[in-house]
């Protein structure tokens, strides 16, 4: 087990110590620590254990009347006492994840300037061009292993939120720590503020970002390049995870940097992996192989293409040639079916533009292509209508319906609709959580196909092996490792993913599989330990207070 363990000699004292969120223990400082560290009188006399402190946090949290208030409360706890924050999050993941991540984080980003209290993370703006390296050096921790960076242009399915998108890198990194035990001080959230096209933000006096239109073209590329180069200089051991960039930039940046630095795009690769794991689970209910089926996507952006690319890789592993595997994946975008004859297709869609007559609408596409699965990744709420799901149920004994758009408000259909409109036969998963559904006397527990099952474990495996690159193969083995963690009992309940409280074990399995790939492909820089899984487990951070004065 690993804790944040500072050197006692260099520890701040008194008031300063109480206001350091990484070191603070609040009322849990021991008598000896209070004496030795100048804390006498600065704390009420009664000592409380971490358990009692957690009890107080839960009492306060549950008294709040809205999720946004709960989010604000949890962020302020993180700013006061990180160890306690992670204790509460880890012990109550089911309750906390929807608060610190999707869907509540979406609401928080939409109101970010209005609920802003203390800055967290690094804000690098277009006006900092030429001195980005100095900004990175202002960060108080030197050993950074993972950076989540956004430019705020496509926050969840909510569009351009500019610098207010900072809630996303912060939330994702909190999940790295909570779900995979990556030390909090190894994590750095970054916003590249290049402006926004969001009129209401530009006119909002409380908006926290630059009041300018987005930087584009060569200037934008130079700015991102300066950031990447500065990271290589200041934080050479860091993974750079690109997050919630608009898709034209996301695909380009991934292609540009994936063979140069240790980087990945979770919206593309992480989503691919979590969805593939869900499809493997679904196959255990339907029988058959991945390669025998047709998949129809609603939405042809980062998420959709990321999923299809990984399905193609998985079919390849089942022996299907790439061209044939691609023909099993079909896309409908905002203009209709993606086919060869269309001249308006962005480069990332072209590999999936098949020779076929054009079909304008999704329902007709279902009728003609008869897919085994429909996968919603459009950000369009309610796009899966009753006739569409009835058509899926008519063509499939167990139709697979994944409504992955986030947050919950943007899902293509609700869990209830998926079950009700298919007579309870749908195999359903969503991106954001849905409550269990009662239908005809049965309880269905929808699985959350959230990337949080994948990226923390991938990050842990890459960090533990000190891999130089993050590869597609790592996301493929991550999907398989995740699917292995789904029990028959989970499947019987309708859950394509393991329960959230098991996520740290799941992340450890994924990390081990990912690190194995790093060693097998010569990408690892750390010596290979005798027992890889045990070694990784021993590195996982636990939110337990250290003893500063033994
Ligand atoms: P994107 O902007 O790259 O792609 C959106 C796609 O939807 C585009 O191809 C667009 O043409 C299509 N689209 C938009 N309106 C449409 C309409 N009316 N009819 C048909 N197609 C339409 O966005 P990205 O990154 O692919 O994300 C899409 C959604 O997936 C978001 O809501 C995001 O939150 C969600 N997502 C969920 C994940 C998960 O939980 N596992 C992970 C990543 C994304």
């Amino acid at each position: 087990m690993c804790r944040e363990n500072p050197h006692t000699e260099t520890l701040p004292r008194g008031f300063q110590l109480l206001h350091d969120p990484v070191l603070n223990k609040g009322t849990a400082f021991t008598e000896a620590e209070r004496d030795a560290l100048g804390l006498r009188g600065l704390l009420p006399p009664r000592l409380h254990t971490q358990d009692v402190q957690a009890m107080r946090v839960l009492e306060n949290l549950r008294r709040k009347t809205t999720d946004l208030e709960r989010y604000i409360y949890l962020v302020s706890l993180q700013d006061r006492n990180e160890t306690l924050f992670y204790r509460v999050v880890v012990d109550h993941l089911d309750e906390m994840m929807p608060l610190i991540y999707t869907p509540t984080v979406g609401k928080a980003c939409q109101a970010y300037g209005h609920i802003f209290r203390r800055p967290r993370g690094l804000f690098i703006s277009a006006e900092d061009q030429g001195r980005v390296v100095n900004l990175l050096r202002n960060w108080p921790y030197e050993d950074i292993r993972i950076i989540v960076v956004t430019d705020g242009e496509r926050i969840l399915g909510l569009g351009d939120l500019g610098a207010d998108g900072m809630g996303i890198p912060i939330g994702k990194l909190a999940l790295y720590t909570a779900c995979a035990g990556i030390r909090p001080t190894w994590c750095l959230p970054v916003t590249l503020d290049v402006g926004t096209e969001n009129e209401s933000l530009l006119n909002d006096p409380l908006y926290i970002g630059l009041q300018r239109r987005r930087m584009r073209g060569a200037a934008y590329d130079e700015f991102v390049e300066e950031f990447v180069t500065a990271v290589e200089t200041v934080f050479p051991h860091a993974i750079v995870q690109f997050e919630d960039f608009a898709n034209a930039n996301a695909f380009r940046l991934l292609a540009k940097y994936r063979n140069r630095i240790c980087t990945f795009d979770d919206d593309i690769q992480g989503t691919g992996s979590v969805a593939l794991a869900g499809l493997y689970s679904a196959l255990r209910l339907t029988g058959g192989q991945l390669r025998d089926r047709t998949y129809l996507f609603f939405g042809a952006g980062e998420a959709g293409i990321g999923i299809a690319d990984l399905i193609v890789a998985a079919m390849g592993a089942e022996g299907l040639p790439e061209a044939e595997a691609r023909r099993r994946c079909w896309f409908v975008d905002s203009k209709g079916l993606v086919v060869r004859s269309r001249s308006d297709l962005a480069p990332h869609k072209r590999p999936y533009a098949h020779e076929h007559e054009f079909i304008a609408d999704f329902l007709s596409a279902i009728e003609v292509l008869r897919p085994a699965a429909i996968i919603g990744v459009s950000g369009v709420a309610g796009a899966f209508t009753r006739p569409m799901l009835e058509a899926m149920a008519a063509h499939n004994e167990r139709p697979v319906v994944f409504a992955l758009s986030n947050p919950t408000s943007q899902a293509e259909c609700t869990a209830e609709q998926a079950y009700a409109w298919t007579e309870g036969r749908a195999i359903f998963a969503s991106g954001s959580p849905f409550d269990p559904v009662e239908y005809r006397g049965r309880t269905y527990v929808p699985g959350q196909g959230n990337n949080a099952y994948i990226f923390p474990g991938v990050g842990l495996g890459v960090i533990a092996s000190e891999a130089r690159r993050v590869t597609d193969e790592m996301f493929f083995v991550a999907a398989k490792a995740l699917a292995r963690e789904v029990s028959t009992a989970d499947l019987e309940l309708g859950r394509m993913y393991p329960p959230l409280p098991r996520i740290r074990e799941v992340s450890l399995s994924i990390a081990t599989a990912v690190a194995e790939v790093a060693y097998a492909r010569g990408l690892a820089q750390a010596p290979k330990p005798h027992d890889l899984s045990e070694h990784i487990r021993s590195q996982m951070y636990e939110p337990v207070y250290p003893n500063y004065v033994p």
Side-chain angles (χ1 to χ4, degrees), residues 131-152:
R131 57 178 182 209
V132 172
V133 80
N134 299 341
L135 269 69
L136 294 188
R137 291 199 172 112
N138 284 343
W139 189 249
Y141 301 100
E142 284 175 12
D143 190 4
I144 295 299
R145 303 298 177 91
I146 180 136
I147 292 171
V148 176
V149 56
T150 188
D151 72 354

Side-chain angles (χ1 to χ4, degrees), residues 154 156-157 247 271 274 298-303 333-334 377-380 404-406 431 449 451:
R154 198 239 63 198
L156 303 173
N247 74 37
T271 310
V274 79
F298 187 75
E302 295 165 60
D333 67 8
S334 55
V377 273
S378 62
V380 181
L404 296 182
S405 287
N406 293 325
N451 303 25

